[in-house]
Amino acid sequence: MQVINNFLDNQEFFKIQQTISGDTFPWFIKSPGVFFHDLYNKEKNQLSPFISLIDSLNKKLEVSTLIDAQILMTIKTEKGQESEASNSLDIYDKTIKSILFMNTSNAHIDISGLDKIECVENRLLTLPANMAHFGTTQTNKLHNIVLTINYTL
């Protein structure tokens, strides 16, 4: 597991942030209070017209094969709520997951048995996709946005 602050240079980061915060960026309902946008999904053969937003991220991470990329937005809740655990069940899975936090809030990601990673703008969390983790909702900001990619090197 690795955490890197200020992962992207400001110009690249703000380009992504402004695009996904704009009035014309399409969001889809995942569940009450949770919205998503699939940039890429290899399994479903889906490719968003916004895929180029992550070109600099892919290059900096040295992505060899992109498996999926999704932007997730949660809406403020009165009390922090935990999501279901997320991880691949295959212990031999070599897939890597990187999560780029698009804004700062009091939401966080809990790595089962390890750490609690706070949501800080332009912070990148990288971990094996088969490492159990879950997120919590924020109570101090209107929304929390993360960009998640699964890939191999």
Side-chain angles (χ1 to χ4, degrees):
M1 180 184 76
Q2 183 178 28
V3 176
I4 302 172
N5 291 322
N6 300 310
F7 184 73
L8 292 176
D9 68 55
N10 286 339
Q11 182 179 353
E12 287 297 326
F13 180 79
F14 292 134
K15 177 181 147 188
I16 297 169
Q17 192 180 55
Q18 288 174 340
T19 301
I20 66 177
S21 299
D23 292 343
T24 59
F25 189 77
W27 290 98
F28 305 93
I29 298 170
K30 185 169 188 162
S31 60
V34 180
F35 299 86
F36 76 97
H37 182 98
D38 281 334
L39 293 170
Y40 178 70
N41 188 311
K42 186 176 182 179
E43 189 175 290
K44 295 179 183 176
N45 198 25
Q46 292 177 332
L47 182 65
S48 166
F50 294 93
I51 188 66
S52 64
L53 282 176
I54 61 170
D55 287 348
S56 60
L57 180 63
N58 288 341
K59 185 176 181 179
K60 193 161 183 182
L61 290 170
E62 300 178 355
V63 171
S64 172
T65 303
L66 182 64
I67 297 167
D68 62 50
Q70 182 181 78
I71 304 170
L72 194 67
M73 176 173 56
T74 57
I75 304 301
K76 177 181 177 180
T77 56
E78 283 187 36
K79 294 180 181 178
Q81 300 173 357
E82 293 180 354
S83 67
E84 293 182 22
S86 174
N87 68 301
S88 160
L89 298 177
D90 181 357
I91 61 170
Y92 301 106
D93 188 355
K94 300 285 188 214
T95 304
I96 298 168
K97 175 179 275 191
S98 287
I99 301 169
L100 181 65
F101 299 103
M102 298 307 301
N103 65 308
T104 299
S105 76
N106 65 353
H108 59 271
I109 305 242
D110 281 315
I111 312 298
S112 294
L114 296 174
D115 293 321
K116 179 167 80 171
I117 310 301
E118 303 294 334
C119 291
V120 175
E121 182 177 281
N122 202 9
R123 174 178 281 173
L124 185 84
L125 166 64
T126 299
L127 62 154
N130 59 9
M131 182 179 282
H133 60 283
F134 61 91
T136 62
T137 58
Q138 75 288 352
T139 60
N140 67 332
K141 300 285 176 143
L142 178 61
H143 62 270
N144 189 62
I145 301 175
V146 297
L147 191 163
T148 303
I149 68 170
N150 289 290
Y151 59 98
T152 59
L153 295 175

